Amino acid sequence: MTAEASTLACQQCGGALQVGLLDKTPTCPWCGSGNIVKRPPRPGLPQPSFVIGFTKSADEVKRQVKAWSQQVSFWAPGAFRKLDVELLRPVYLPAYLVSGVVTGHWSARAGYEYRTFKTRKGKTELETETEWHSVGADYALRVHDLLVSASQRVSNRELQKLEPYDLGRLARYSDAAIVGWPAEEPARDVDSVDAQLMTEVTEAMEPRLRALAPGEKVDDFTFTSTLVDPAFATVLVPVWTMMVRWHAKKPRVRVLVNGQTGQVTGTVPTSWLKVTLAVVLGLAALAGAIWWLSQEGRLS
Amino acid sequence: MNTCARCRSVLEAGDLRCPVCSLPPPTAERGEAVTSKVLRCSDCHAALRYSEAFAKTVCGFCGAALELEVSTDPMEHAEAWVPFTVSKAAAIASLTRWLGERGFFAPADLAEASRVDTIHPVAWAAWIVSGSANATYGTDVYGAGRKASWGPATGRFDRQLDLIVPATQGLSREEVDDLGAYDVALTQPDALPDVPGEDFGVTRTSARARILEGVRDDALAQVGLRHRGLLRKTKVEVMLTALFTRRLLLPIWVLAYQYRNKKFRVVIHGQREQTVVGTSPLSPWRVLAVIVAALALVAALLGALALYEQVR
């Protein structure tokens, strides 16, 4: 899908409004009014049914990102802890809230211990052995509220790192819920999110099915799953996007923040200086240990 | 009554999605052309903006706010009352009969010496759940192993639901189970005269969680019936396929009786006088006599055994 622009008249001042194909709520450059664009239905792209409103302000988000930068991995460059937030921008991202029935079959080996006398080299001892049974069953279970990104700009993997959203605060979609805030139209239709959806289904089903396996020990657990008759509801979720600058000569890093909970995610750079120093120190310690052991015939 | 387009379950006022299958109701179709609009305040006509501080859309000029339509979670209230078919006199007669049938350990004069202290009708709160569910389970069964004591059992079954899930605070789970089923075909929307009705006292979300718990308990009981014997680590996953819930107030007679200055409580089903649930005193002399007889029997057996050893 290409981001073709079209021109509409601002409904506040009549000025020309450039609207990208994915822009849902463009702001008029002439009067600053928030317009809401209505488009005809497109096949495979359900209209928004729900919205989760922003509750985090820009200032709160900046503080949250600063706090996150202090807690990143040891291997991150030291300068990353003094980052500057740039291009901070809120956006309502489109995602599919999927529910449906998952059918399939699970199987495993269930082990039960028992005590038995064993004779080895003429000596009889009481030993514990495991009796294994093949178990499994067909199943049909319902999955609710799997959230899959329908956005072109934020991948499903990134959205997963921002979850969970409190779906108890779900509101029915209305233009009033997003007016004045940038919002994106769905860019991925329901068929094109199949792979991501099945990954989420598998992740959701595994602990539930594994819990059904009987036995004192469980081994060789496998399962198949097919999502039957899924219902897709489009939901607009609040996300703050920003670029963070941490070094004058290094590329900026994109950071995303959950606009409802403040959960932060981003790709943290690695300090190759720290990694090299650690490797050199490790090698030096190893060489020292070998030298010490080789002295006075300690190393045979 | 709105129903879900997919599973036909009932959608209640304030539900944004189906409570069983999560399907949202269809949204209105859009026009054919790309257009834009600006939302204006209905009071001062200024352009509106959603406010993250208030979590609603507010007018920056006059402060008017547009509430968003969110899922509501109202308190549960009874929709109908199930009338009594057991009269007060029949309940007292039922208690007298029940006291006379308390078995060997009850005092011999229990029925004659007991005196009814209070008797009053009460309507207790319950969800009457019908519909269907599919359960998948796994469990350990004692005796199902080859060499080990325990072995596995797994399976799946369909279940037609016809459950009473108690919302009551006044009756214990055991009392509810012992009271059993009610005929809820005949109900009345108006309160029964002079009968206090119990309040449900929970929100819709809590109610749905309790109902689901009731359905899961029912499935667990079914697993117990399918595999006779001792079970452990039974895990059940239940999928509701249809759910219909009624919030009813069910009739009981609550009686308190005295026996030798001690009070006991009894509950009698408001539709079946023969269903009596309660406690009654034990005769200490009879209990003592049985213990003494048992000890004497053990002593006699040991004596006989010792005599047999001597003779041999």
Side-chain angles (χ1 to χ4, degrees):
Chain A
M1 188 174 288
T2 55
E4 294 164 8
S6 57
T7 304
L8 298 173
C10 171
Q11 296 302 296
Q12 178 74 6
C13 68
L17 195 62
Q18 290 290 312
V19 184
L21 191 61
L22 299 180
D23 291 340
K24 190 169 180 62
T25 49
T27 300
C28 175
W30 307 99
C31 69
S33 296
N35 282 249
I36 293 174
V37 176
K38 297 282 184 188
R39 293 186 170 87
R42 288 174 290 168
L45 295 166
Q47 298 165 26
S49 299
F50 304 114
V51 60
I52 297 170
F54 276 91
T55 56
K56 297 286 177 193
S57 67
D59 288 339
E60 281 177 286
V61 167
K62 280 182 189 170
R63 282 197 296 274
Q64 212 108 26
V65 172
K66 287 277 186 193
W68 168 76
S69 72
Q70 301 301 310
Q71 295 163 2
V72 292
S73 145
F74 166 79
W75 302 106
F80 194 77
R81 292 174 173 78
K82 298 169 190 162
L83 52 79
D84 289 322
V85 173
E86 294 179 354
L87 301 175
L88 181 65
R89 178 176 178 271
V91 62
Y92 277 109
L93 281 184
Y96 294 124
L97 200 55
V98 186
S99 62
V101 175
V102 183
T103 61
H105 184 86
W106 68 268
S107 62
R109 290 199 314 146
Y112 296 87
E113 289 187 345
Y114 64 96
R115 305 272 280 167
T116 185
F117 286 102
K118 287 271 176 183
T119 306
R120 285 199 182 92
K121 297 175 185 171
K123 199 176 169 189
T124 302
E125 285 182 343
L126 193 59
E127 291 187 358
T128 302
E129 299 223 323
T130 303
E131 175 181 302
W132 291 98
H133 297 255
S134 292
V135 293
D138 290 336
Y139 71 88
L141 301 177
R142 212 178 279 287
V143 286
H144 295 275
D145 301 337
L146 300 176
L147 202 60
V148 183
S149 173
S151 163
Q152 194 180 55
R153 295 166 182 151
V154 173
S155 70
N156 195 52
R157 186 54 63 187
E158 287 176 302
L159 183 62
Q160 276 186 312
K161 288 178 183 169
L162 290 175
E163 289 181 52
Y165 282 93
D166 176 8
L167 296 176
R169 306 287 296 272
L170 208 62
R172 197 187 297 282
Y173 173 80
S174 72
D175 294 334
I178 60 168
V179 63
W181 293 68
E184 191 184 316
E185 291 277 9
R188 287 190 268 181
D189 63 29
V190 293
D191 293 330
S192 68
V193 298
D194 253 3
Q196 294 96 323
L197 180 57
M198 282 319 294
T199 304
E200 295 217 8
V201 166
T202 305
E203 286 171 3
M205 295 312 298
E206 182 168 359
R208 292 173 65 183
L209 293 174
R210 198 177 269 278
L212 290 176
E216 292 158 359
K217 300 174 183 174
V218 177
D219 200 3
D220 295 342
F221 177 81
T222 57
F223 68 99
T224 60
S225 53
T226 308
L227 184 61
V228 183
D229 191 22
F232 288 81
T234 307
V235 56
L236 297 177
V237 297
V239 174
W240 285 94
T241 70
M242 72 211 70
M243 302 303 288
V244 298
R245 184 182 290 282
W246 58 278
H247 192 283
K249 292 178 181 171
K250 302 285 183 185
R252 290 178 298 183
V253 173
R254 185 166 82 154
V255 171
L256 303 174
V257 179
N258 182 321
Q260 186 193 34
T261 65
Q263 170 73 26
V264 183
T265 183
T267 308
V268 179
T270 303
S271 166
W272 294 110
L273 182 65
K274 284 185 183 177
V275 173
T276 309
L277 272 174
V279 170
V280 168
L281 279 173
L283 286 174
L286 187 66
I290 291 171
W291 174 81
W292 183 75
L293 286 169
S294 65
Q295 295 301 302
E296 298 172 13
R298 288 190 186 94
L299 192 63
S300 58
Chain B
M1 187 167 65
N2 288 329
T3 54
C4 171
R6 183 156 68 167
C7 71
R8 303 290 163 203
S9 297
V10 176
L11 301 178
E12 304 196 50
D15 278 344
L16 293 187
R17 299 186 288 167
C18 170
V20 172
C21 75
S22 297
L23 186 75
T27 49
E29 287 298 307
R30 296 186 196 178
E32 290 301 310
V34 179
T35 58
S36 72
K37 71 171 185 180
V38 169
L39 283 188
R40 294 177 198 284
C41 173
S42 57
D43 292 344
C44 70
H45 299 286
L48 293 173
R49 185 179 190 278
Y50 171 85
S51 161
E52 80 280 17
F54 300 104
K56 60 178 83 164
T57 302
V58 291
C59 175
F61 287 89
C62 70
L66 286 180
E67 295 290 343
L68 302 179
E69 188 185 351
V70 295
S71 182
T72 54
D73 197 9
M75 293 298 284
E76 294 275 278
H77 295 294
E79 60 194 55
W81 298 58
V82 176
F84 281 83
T85 55
V86 174
S87 66
K88 184 175 180 177
I92 293 171
S94 189
L95 171 69
T96 309
R97 192 170 51 249
W98 180 78
L99 289 172
E101 298 167 349
R102 296 311 294 150
F104 174 77
F105 288 108
D109 64 341
L110 179 62
E112 295 78 38
S114 296
R115 185 170 54 80
V116 175
D117 220 16
T118 60
I119 173 166
H120 54 268
V122 174
W124 62 282
W127 295 282
I128 308 299
V129 178
S130 57
S132 54
N134 181 276
T136 308
Y137 70 91
T139 186
D140 291 344
V141 183
Y142 188 75
R146 293 184 294 271
K147 291 179 180 172
S149 305
W150 294 86
T154 59
R156 178 184 168 193
F157 57 89
D158 288 319
R159 181 88 180 125
Q160 286 301 313
L161 303 175
D162 183 12
L163 306 175
I164 296 178
V165 179
T168 179
Q169 304 287 322
L171 297 176
S172 69
R173 181 76 218 201
E174 290 73 29
E175 285 175 324
V176 168
D177 289 344
D178 291 345
L179 281 171
Y182 276 82
D183 177 5
V184 294
L186 196 66
T187 60
Q188 65 177 64
D190 300 323
L192 299 170
D194 301 323
V195 177
E198 199 181 9
D199 193 9
F200 275 74
V202 292
T203 62
R204 185 188 295 169
T205 305
S206 307
R208 284 175 176 162
R210 293 260 287 271
I211 289 166
L212 196 59
E213 201 179 304
V215 174
R216 195 172 287 121
D217 287 347
D218 175 66
L220 273 170
Q222 286 304 309
V223 174
L225 293 175
R226 288 166 75 94
H227 300 280
R228 297 274 177 192
L230 193 57
L231 306 183
R232 70 174 186 187
K233 295 184 186 171
T234 305
K235 299 277 172 52
V236 180
E237 279 272 2
V238 176
M239 179 180 73
L240 289 170
T241 44
L243 181 69
F244 306 97
T245 308
R246 298 173 73 192
R247 300 168 193 84
L248 299 183
L249 293 176
L250 306 174
I252 48 170
W253 288 100
V254 179
L255 298 93
Y257 69 91
Q258 281 200 34
Y259 174 76
R260 298 196 190 283
N261 296 326
K262 276 193 176 175
K263 279 193 175 185
F264 298 89
R265 189 179 89 144
V266 161
V267 175
I268 298 176
H269 200 293
Q271 291 182 322
R272 278 195 316 275
E273 62 208 56
Q274 63 272 30
T275 306
V276 182
V277 180
T279 53
S280 59
L282 295 174
S283 164
W285 297 114
R286 292 188 177 198
V287 173
L288 189 67
V290 168
I291 291 171
V292 168
L295 288 173
L297 187 65
V298 170
L301 281 172
L302 289 173
L305 197 66
L307 196 65
Y308 172 73
E309 288 290 326
Q310 267 185 2
V311 170
R312 210 176 65 158

